[in-house]
Amino acid sequence: MMLNLFSSRPDHPLGDAKEFKRILAELPLDNSFKALEEVYGWFQSLQLADDFRVDHYFDVVRQLDEAAQPHIRRQSRDYLHSPRLTKSEERRYWTMCYNYWGEVSSLYARCIERVRLNPKDKGSEALKASLPLAATRLMAARAAQLKWVEYRYGPIGEDLWRGLGQPYLVAEAAGYSQKPVQLYPSQAGLTSVAQQYFQALIFYSSSMDSLMPLEIDLADRLIAYFQPGFVFSNNCLPDSVYWVDAANGLPPTRLARRPDQRLPSLRFFSPGSAPQALNELMRNVERGGVPADLNLGGEYLAKVLLPVLRHLALYWATEPPQREHTRHAVKTRIAVLQGFDDSFTVFAGDVARLGKEHTAKSWVVENVSLGGFGAGIDDLCGDWLKIGTLLSMQPEGGENWVLGVVRRYNKDSDAHARVGIQALSRQAQSVELRPRTSGFSATGAIPGIWLREGNAPGEARVVLPNSSFDLRENMEFAHDGRRYLLTPVELEEVGSHFEIGRYREHISE
């Protein structure tokens, strides 16, 4: 509903109903970034507007927020799906979306606080029926901020956790935390303050630091779908797995570490029946089916969706994932090169790598295991480092190079991050692959990095440039006087600018 005429019009352009209607109508339809910039600018101006009656203030914020929703959805899609975004464009989109959700959440919080401070005010009385909507949008906006932080693997501060927990406690005390509302006119279904809060808790507990941004978005949508199966309680139940203190600004914690004291702000939760439903969905996806009521924001192939489902199944298990190999604390440096091209050069031999070694970055290894490394990085130059980045690493003082891939990435600050690296091979070898039909002429050669250990008997795995693996095409290469024929079995993994193909291996002299 459009604003009514104000009895005492504020000294602000949005306080005039006719002017406000014009501003909404003139938001650009064909430039989402510009539209968000304009709405964001109006939000900032409203932070300084003190002469609105609170129900009118809420109505202005609500309508601006609703007008911005198609644009923020489009910006989010572009951020996650566009292959042509430059790093500066990617950063610009991220900043706009993250700041938008922060600004609108603070405006909804301001509405709620004004009602709390002046409950008998005429505007407060008029707004009370809309408090569940204001609080639910506040929670959804802060949960969206949490997701955008995870897209860049950044640290999640106490302010954001407190900004989620405290409004939930206020809504619970006021009796509307479970009140169902339609979040936005364009969104089907109902939600609530509690539902948005619990979804954020499940999201964080599902360990997003080993997923790519698109996978993080899919995980969040899957969490919303499976959330009704989770069990939340004010008390620690026999099957509770996590707990959180909604008042203290800290994230949820596994019950392997119990709360120091019993507080009214403690909440406990467990996956409940969600893992069984998740397993059923995995079986359906493997057979090519996706439920009609599952909103994934688009259509995805099974090879994209199944890794996310398996990831969630791992972290929703009653027992936390166990490390396959024991970690040992160390302090040593490694030289690091990134990407397929540099790695191919490194594993082509001593002469080929001479020009590359002086460009290597230096990282500090903090722990090692048979499976890989944990490293700290103090110089975060550029945005190339992400989940799925291929790395070539040489320990300080060593001669051997190790091929690995980034599996976990977590920023402690803008200047420091920690990464978990899986070692793919300590005996990798660069080879030139040719389709079986083309013989050994130089034409049509495909560079590959042969992973010479960790394979099933009679099989070989090869790291290839993106889009090089073909199930219909046999490949061959020569090494040390032998000819290797590779018959494709499956595409094992798609990473950042590389893929790993698995083949049956036949060797001839």
Side-chain angles (χ1 to χ4, degrees), residues 191-374:
T191 185
S192 68
V193 172
Q195 202 168 323
Q196 292 295 321
Y197 181 53
F198 295 152
Q199 184 171 336
L201 298 180
I202 300 168
F203 177 82
Y204 179 84
S205 303
S206 299
S207 192
M208 298 296 157
D209 62 352
S210 58
L211 297 177
M212 298 286 284
L214 176 59
E215 294 175 319
I216 291 172
D217 182 62
L218 286 173
D220 189 47
R221 292 172 182 273
L222 288 163
I223 287 165
Y225 182 74
F226 289 112
Q227 184 179 332
F230 277 73
V231 176
F232 292 86
S233 174
N234 294 359
N235 301 306
C236 185
L237 303 176
D239 62 346
S240 294
V241 180
Y242 293 93
W243 64 273
V244 68
D245 183 349
N248 73 357
L250 294 177
T253 304
R254 273 200 177 254
L255 272 164
R257 183 173 77 81
R258 293 188 168 269
D260 294 331
Q261 54 183 317
R262 188 72 179 93
L263 297 168
S265 52
L266 288 179
R267 297 294 179 271
F268 301 84
F269 62 101
S270 69
S273 62
Q276 291 83 359
L278 179 64
N279 288 332
E280 180 62 30
L281 177 61
M282 276 196 281
R283 288 191 289 271
N284 288 338
V285 171
E286 287 166 351
R287 293 192 295 262
V290 176
D293 60 339
L294 175 55
N295 174 23
L296 296 175
E299 294 185 6
Y300 295 93
L301 297 174
K303 69 178 183 180
V304 176
L305 190 53
L306 282 171
V308 183
L309 292 167
R310 290 169 185 148
H311 174 90
L312 294 177
L314 187 66
Y315 284 92
W316 292 358
T318 303
E319 294 296 324
Q322 299 297 316
R323 296 194 179 277
E324 186 177 354
H325 304 290
T326 304
R327 283 183 174 188
H328 302 281
V330 298
K331 282 290 181 184
T332 187
R333 286 195 170 270
I334 53 171
V336 179
L337 292 165
Q338 65 92 14
F340 180 87
D341 292 343
D342 282 0
S343 296
F344 181 83
T345 301
V346 162
F347 293 104
D350 294 339
V351 176
R353 77 169 67 106
L354 283 177
K356 287 291 181 185
E357 291 179 343
H358 74 278
T359 66
K361 300 183 185 299
S362 179
W363 293 358
V364 176
V365 173
E366 298 172 339
N367 58 74
V368 297
S369 72
L370 288 176
F373 311 87

Side-chain angles (χ1 to χ4, degrees), residues 75-238:
Q75 291 289 289
S76 300
R77 282 197 302 270
D78 288 348
Y79 180 86
L80 292 170
H81 294 280
S82 177
R84 296 185 180 87
L85 287 182
T86 66
K87 291 301 179 184
S88 62
E89 287 173 328
E90 189 179 300
R91 195 177 302 111
R92 189 168 66 117
Y93 281 28
W94 186 93
T95 301
M96 173 54 72
C97 291
Y98 177 80
N99 287 346
Y100 175 90
W101 290 120
E103 200 74 17
V104 77
S105 70
S106 70
L107 292 173
Y108 285 128
R110 192 177 184 204
C111 294
I112 295 166
E113 180 65 4
R114 283 183 62 183
V115 172
R116 187 188 70 81
L117 293 175
N118 297 290
K120 300 300 184 185
D121 180 78
K122 188 176 180 181
S124 297
E125 292 286 355
L127 183 57
K128 282 179 181 175
S130 297
L131 284 178
L133 177 61
T136 305
R137 286 198 183 178
L138 159 62
M139 298 295 290
R142 287 182 176 161
Q145 276 197 300
L146 178 66
K147 184 162 70 169
W148 281 89
V149 173
E150 291 283 18
Y151 285 159
R152 292 182 68 86
Y153 311 104
I156 300 166
E158 289 188 10
D159 285 350
L160 185 48
W161 284 117
R162 199 171 283 113
L164 282 161
Q166 290 183 347
Y168 160 72
L169 293 174
V170 167
E172 190 176 64
Y176 58 77
S177 67
Q178 304 280 353
K179 174 77 173 176
V181 298
Q182 184 179 15
L183 190 62
Y184 290 100
S186 59
Q187 290 185 217
L190 302 177
T191 185
S192 68
V193 172
Q195 202 168 323
Q196 292 295 321
Y197 181 53
F198 295 152
Q199 184 171 336
L201 298 180
I202 300 168
F203 177 82
Y204 179 84
S205 303
S206 299
S207 192
M208 298 296 157
D209 62 352
S210 58
L211 297 177
M212 298 286 284
L214 176 59
E215 294 175 319
I216 291 172
D217 182 62
L218 286 173
D220 189 47
R221 292 172 182 273
L222 288 163
I223 287 165
Y225 182 74
F226 289 112
Q227 184 179 332
F230 277 73
V231 176
F232 292 86
S233 174
N234 294 359
N235 301 306
C236 185
L237 303 176

Side-chain angles (χ1 to χ4, degrees), residues 27-61:
L27 287 174
L29 298 177
D30 57 348
N31 188 331
S32 287
F33 191 88
K34 190 172 189 305
L36 284 177
E37 273 191 321
E38 289 187 20
V39 174
Y40 183 76
W42 287 118
F43 281 165
Q44 288 184 306
S45 73
L46 287 169
Q47 295 284 7
L48 305 174
D50 295 323
D51 51 352
F52 278 91
R53 209 174 85 168
V54 66
D55 56 328
H56 296 159
Y57 186 85
F58 168 75
D59 218 21
V60 168
V61 173

